[in-house]
């Protein structure tokens, strides 16, 4: 045994030194005249000529050995493969002599180890067909793409003097045969360190194929292949015809997808594809390249590409890159789903793969097809309203599919006409009952200038998705308000909150997004409606009726980028009679400094003579305070100093009812009727009495305009039929006594003087700015910044493991661990899939 091992070691040594010797050893290349082979060794272009070839008559950088020659050569370096490459060209003439059909050999043997290209140049009559048959099938690649093993075949067809590149191929594919007409130049590229014993193909004589070429692919199991038209990405020859044949087992299904094509400018005839499909009664089936191509074909079929007579001046390019997918028949292939969109208007429903349209699925991914009829299937299917569809799915895993729908609602015509309709913003049942998850339902609400949009959720009411009150429903609405110049992300909302109504001044996009499967059930009671309303004053007005048991948080829109400059937002908060609301801000200050204009927070109870609390951006925000009547909160922005952004959050809760008692008692005490009274009540009242009276702040006849600013709204509040601002709750006659219990409040009198006027139900008056385009009319206001991305708020949705949203209650305290998932993460996940 030991001796054997020693022998083996010796043999390895010998082999190694032999290899080393071979490097410096000489090579003798002898070419028989009959083989008609020429060998050329030349320097790789661009390489430094540090290595040379030594032959009998001296050193050189290039060597050509012709048929019948014997040459002995030595390289002057150890690694000639770094500098030299080799071409072995064999001319085969089938026109003047007999054709050497059969297996093609890699001849001559014993060549130096260099990158090498074998070229077979076959001259043949155009009357006969030549067939190249590959023992191991090939895979077509894009020109310039490199095969993993660096072995590639290139096939060119030569008719007369014209050469057409049929394609470049790697090993390990499905292309088993290529039939050509006339001459062919086939080249095989091999890397220096790979020794192949056979070319892998043979040549056979065939009868004429009457077209440029036939490429045969044999697909055995589930597979997906890409193929290209000859010369791709350049043009397919003018007025040519070619065929791809697909050999598919009859128990498998094939589908064709065109990934890239272009058409030339045809003078006569039309560019088209024709299919021979087993079982079809209308063979050949003719399609335009722009058509959806046949799918779910049972068994072998063929596909022909027909060019046209091109316009000589401007021929254009006919080219085609397509995919053929072979799958097992799907269990549900015969199950049809009815999608009745006949009563819907201006709506499109798109069923698509996950990640569409940003992501293109990998060729290797299992495919999900959506079929309009048994053979018209595609990866993406768009259905338009006004018709009924019977669709089916060819897909192993329907959870890979999604639905995105869009509906446009516009007001064309008079406000009176538009106003008369209330549109329900709900996902039709015909969509929710499909076995595919709804990804998004988008409503595009479009109003002409001076007509605005109102969104209501009368029974469910909306909750603003904030860290303190994250959404736990299976769906949410993202509301984006857009002018032609800019976008404002109003926020993310879900059912089950306090917001009854949102009025918005601009065109609105509402996107319903679903989370998990719960939507199927929850979609049964959707409750979002919209209508067109007369022009409103603020950019956005919320009507909020807070739940007396919960704390309601509200936040200014566009929190990620801050409220746009000069924009004014109002909240109208209802306080049921007999109850007292408490209002507080989440921060002490607005947190901005203004570059132009001033920012204000105004708070005003809705009752005659109510004081208005006004805070400028350079002042402290009010302390938490009790509100006895319905009240307005208004936030109006200036143009903040960059990079400051205005985002304000406030909350409303209800305090115990005994406060009411305190007020009444206080009133009574003030009237001096009662002598003996609770000490605490007395104290409260005394404090109030010591305060400056605030009623005098108001000057009923001064306009809302800031000095120097042009008035933008021509219509007066009294004449614009606004029905936003509800009536006064006149029951609360004692309200004026319940003033700020915190003595620190001193109202600003000199800044601007809000208009109160006879209409007691007005919201506090913001400076008359807006981020709409009509601010351009004002010469001294700035162009608003472009707010590019909107769907980006980093709010956190808490998800249950089941995929449903979970109630995380107060977002500050509960941590959902690995089950929580933010919208941003969601977004990133989406983009990872791209
Ligand atoms: C060798 O190739 C040349 C060029 O194609 C051709 O003219 C010649 O007839 C060929 N000779 C043989 C023996 O095939
Ligand atoms: C080339 O060399 C081989 C042996 O190395 C010899 O058999 C053959 O006759 C030679 N041919 C020519 C044309 O010199
Ligand atoms: C040999 O082929 C390889 C792979 O195609 C390439 O990277 C290398 O540059 C080639 N060498 C020469 C000398 O052509
Ligand atoms: C072809 O595929 C087989 C098996 O899939 C693999 O072993 C072989 O390395 C592949 N060859 C090339 C050239 O990629
Ligand atoms: C050939 O050499 C290249 C490096 O030049 C290497 O990556 C490759 O694996 C080698 N191939 C074989 C078959 O040895
Ligand atoms: C090739 O086939 C055609 C008809 O199939 C025949 O006429 C021709 O003689 C064949 N040529 C050769 C070289 O076998
Ligand atoms: C295409 O298929 C049909 C039916 O199988 C067959 O008759 C026809 O000859 C085929 N055409 C080509 C070019 O392969
Ligand atoms: C679907 O229907 C076709 C035609 O009726 C039938 O050949 C096929 O087997 C059916 N597929 C399945 C999966 O049942
Ligand atoms: C249909 O919706 C589009 C937007 O999706 C909108 O531009 C168009 O005005 C709408 N048409 C009608 C009649 O509502
Ligand atoms: C809303 O869109 C319509 C149609 O595109 C446009 O005429 C109108 O000016 C837009 N409204 C606003 C406020 O941008
Ligand atoms: C939908 O509701 C039904 C009955 O109320 C229940 O059985 C089912 O599990 C629910 N589905 C989901 C996904 O929550
Ligand atoms: C969501 O949270 C609210 C309370 O915040 C609760 O009443 C409701 O049942 C929760 N809904 C779901 C689906 O968990």
């Amino acid at each position: 045994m030991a001796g054997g091992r020693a022998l083996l070691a010796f043999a390895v040594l010998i082999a190694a030194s032999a290899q080393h010797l071979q490097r410096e050893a000489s090579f003798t290349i002898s070419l028989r005249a009959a083989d008609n082979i020429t060998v050329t060794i030349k320097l790789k272009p661009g390489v430094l000529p540090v290595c040379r070839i030594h032959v009998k008559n001296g050193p050189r950088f290039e060597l050509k050995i012709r048929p019948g020659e014997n040459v002995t050569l030595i390289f002057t370096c150890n690694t000639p493969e770094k500098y030299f490459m080799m071409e072995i060209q064999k001319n085969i003439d089938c026109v003047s002599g007999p054709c050497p059909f059969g297996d093609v050999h890699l001849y001559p043997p014993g060549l130096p180890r260099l990158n090498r290209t074998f070229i077979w140049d076959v001259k043949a009559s155009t009357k006969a067909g030549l067939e190249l048959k590959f023992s191991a099938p090939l895979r077509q690649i894009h020109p310039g793409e490199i095969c993993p093993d660096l072995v590639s075949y290139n096939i060119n067809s030569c008719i007369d003097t014209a050469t057409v590149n049929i394609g470049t191929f790697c090993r390990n594919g499905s292309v088993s045969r290529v039939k050509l007409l006339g001459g062919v130049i086939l080249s095989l590229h091999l890397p220096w360190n790979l020794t192949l014993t056979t070319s892998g193909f043979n040549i056979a004589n065939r009868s004429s194929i009457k077209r440029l070429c036939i490429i045969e692919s044999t697909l055995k199991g589930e597979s997906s292949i890409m193929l290209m038209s000859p010369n791709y990405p350049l043009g397919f020859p003018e007025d040519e015809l070619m065929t791809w044949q697909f050999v598919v087992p009859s128990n498998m299904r094939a589908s064709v997808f065109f990934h890239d094509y272009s058409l030339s400018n045809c003078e006569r005839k039309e560019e088209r594809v024709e299919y021979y499909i087993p079982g079809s009664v209308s063979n050949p089936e003719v399609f335009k390249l722009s058509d959806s191509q046949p799918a779910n074909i049972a068994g072998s079929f063929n596909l022909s590409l027909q060019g046209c007579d091109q316009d000589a001046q401007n021929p254009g390019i006919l080219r085609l890159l397509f995919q053929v997918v072979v799958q097992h028949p799907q269990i549900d292939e015969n199950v049809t789903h009815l999608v009745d969109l006949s009563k819907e208007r201006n709506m499109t429903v798109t069923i698509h793969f996950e990640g569409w349209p940003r992501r293109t699925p990998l060729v290797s991914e299992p495919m999900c097809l959506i079929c309009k009829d048994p053979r018209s299937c595609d990866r993406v299917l768009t259905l338009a309203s006004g018709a009924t569809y019977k669709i089916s799915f060819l897909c192993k895993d329907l959870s890979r599919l999604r639905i995105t729908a869009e509906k446009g609602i516009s007001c064309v015509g008079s406000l009176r006409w538009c106003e008369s309709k209330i549109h329900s913003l709900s996902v039709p049942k015909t969509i929710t009952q499909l076995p595919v998850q709804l990804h998004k339902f988008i409503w595009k609400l479009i109003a002409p200038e001076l007509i605005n949009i109102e969104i209501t959720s009368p029974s469910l009411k909306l909750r603003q998705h904030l860290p303190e009150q994250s959404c736990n429903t299976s769906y949410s609405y993202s509301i984006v308000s857009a002018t032609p110049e800019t976008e404002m992300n109003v926020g993310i909302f879900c059912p089950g909150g306090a917001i009854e109504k949102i009025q918005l001044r601009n065109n609105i996009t509402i996107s319903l997004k679903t989370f998990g499967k719960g939507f199927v059930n929850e979609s049964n009671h959707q409750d979002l409606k919209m209508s067109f309303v007369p022009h409103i004053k603020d950019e956005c007005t919320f009507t909020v009726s807070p739940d007396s048991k919960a704390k309601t948080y509200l936040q200014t829109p566009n929190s990620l980028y801050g409220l746009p400059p000069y924009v004014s937002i109002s909240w109208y908060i209802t306080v049921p009679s007999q109850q007292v609301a408490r209002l507080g801000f989440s921060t002490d200050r607005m947190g901005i400094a203004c570059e132009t204009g001033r920012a204000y927070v105004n708070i005003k109870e809705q009752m005659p003579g109510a004081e208005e609390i006004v805070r400028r951006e350079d002042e402290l925000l009010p302390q938490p305070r009790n509100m006895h009547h319905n009240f307005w909160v208004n936030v109006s922005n200036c143009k903040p100093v960059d990079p400051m952004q205005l985002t304000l959050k406030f909350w409303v809760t209800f305090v115990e009812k005994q406060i009411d008692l305190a007020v009444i008692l206080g009133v009574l005490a003030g009237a001096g009727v009662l002598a003996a009274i609770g000490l605490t009540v007395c104290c409260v009242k005394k404090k109030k009495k010591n305060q400056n009276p605030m009623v005098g702040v108001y000057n009923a006849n001064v306009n809302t305009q800031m000095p120097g600013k042009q008035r933008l709204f021509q219509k007066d509040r009294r004449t614009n039929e606004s029905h936003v601002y509800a009536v006064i709750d006149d029951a609360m006659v004692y309200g004026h006594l319940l003033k700020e219990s915190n003595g620190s409040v001193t109202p600003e009198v000199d800044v601007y003087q809000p208009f109160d006027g006879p209409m007691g139900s007005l919201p506090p008056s913001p400076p008359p700015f807006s981020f709409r385009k009509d601010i351009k009319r004002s010469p001294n206001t700035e162009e608003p910044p472009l707010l590019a991305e909107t769907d980006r708020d980093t709010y956190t949705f808490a998800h249950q493991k089941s995929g449903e949203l979970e109630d995380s209650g107060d977002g500050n305290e509960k941590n959902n661990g690995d089950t929580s998932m933010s919208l941003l993460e969601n977004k990133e996940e989406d983009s990872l899939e791209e």
Side-chain angles (χ1 to χ4, degrees), residues 32-38 67 89-94 96-98 100 121 123:
R32 295 180 307 211
D35 288 335
N36 219 354
I37 290 174
T38 307
Q89 171 153 356
K90 181 174 167 71
N91 294 318
I92 302 172
D93 187 350
C94 300
S96 54
D121 185 346
K123 302 253 178 308

Side-chain angles (χ1 to χ4, degrees), residues 114-144:
L114 303 174
N115 282 355
R116 54 210 181 278
T117 305
F118 289 91
I119 300 168
W120 295 273
D121 185 346
V122 185
K123 302 253 178 308
S125 152
T126 50
K127 291 189 184 72
L130 276 179
E131 178 186 290
L132 308 172
K133 186 175 178 190
F134 298 90
S135 52
L138 306 180
R139 172 171 66 90
Q140 190 171 10
I141 56 169
H142 283 83

